[in-house]
Amino acid sequence: MRYQYIYKHYEHFKQIGSELFHAGLNNFHSGNMSVRENDDVIITATGSKLGFLEKDDLVCVDLNSEEKGRASCEVSVHRAVYRETTAKAIVHAHAPYSVVLSFDNDKFTPMDGEGKVYFPDGVNIVHVRQSVASEEVALEIPGILKKDKAVIVAGHGIFAVGEDLVEAAKWISSIENSSHLVYLHRCMKGE
Ligand SMILES: [Zn+2]
């Protein structure tokens, strides 16, 4: 069954991973993605290159265990989100403009029309001591993602949820586009 899940989702992972990388939303080895199938989580392997995924770069783990195996170092965060929300997919990316604007703020507020439609209440920014493979992040963000589409971990990146990988990636792309515009606006004003 687990191999069937990997086979079922592989083309989707490959496509979205490639688009995230080529859009500059992830660097060569950053980011991770997962989908939920009942009590199984199909997730990218640690160290995999999201822009060039092979089938062997996907692993299937039990939602209700703590087993990590070759799974992404963020698997604890993915499990925590699935346990507490209705998310069916999670995408994480190190979107640079979103990260650079996250250091000094608790919320990102888009200025552009699309961003305001998708995120009328802004996007919460979580500040933790350790932001990578972090138990703090696993504790903090599921509560936010119960009602929000995405959250930014300060100095690290965005975690977004959706019905599938495309929807989760869409939120990341939109937040990064809005962040880029805010950044350019500040530069234009000489801030
Ligand atoms: Zn990361």
Side-chain angles (χ1 to χ4, degrees), residues 67-116:
E67 163 209 354
K68 292 188 178 175
R70 292 194 303 117
S72 162
C73 66
E74 301 290 0
V75 67
S76 298
V77 174
H78 288 242
R79 277 187 172 119
V81 172
Y82 287 129
R83 284 171 185 161
E84 294 189 39
T85 74
T86 57
K88 293 186 177 142
I90 301 171
V91 174
H92 168 55
H94 291 188
Y97 289 97
S98 304
V99 171
V100 83
L101 295 179
S102 71
F103 291 108
D104 304 317
N105 297 294
D106 293 325
K107 183 166 276 199
F108 169 66
T109 306
M111 297 172 67
D112 62 298
E114 179 192 278
K116 286 180 178 174

Side-chain angles (χ1 to χ4, degrees), residues 2 12 17 20-21 28 33 38 42 46 62 76 82-83 85-86 94 110 114-115 121 125 129-130 132 136 147 166 187:
R2 287 184 156 191
H12 221 180
L20 290 169
F21 173 68
F28 213 60
M33 305 185 287
N38 301 312
I42 300 90
T46 186
D62 189 329
S76 298
Y82 287 129
R83 284 171 185 161
T85 74
T86 57
H94 291 188
E114 179 192 278
D121 300 320
I125 299 171
R129 276 168 294 185
Q130 181 194 327
V132 176
E136 286 175 275
K147 57 182 181 57
V166 173
C187 289

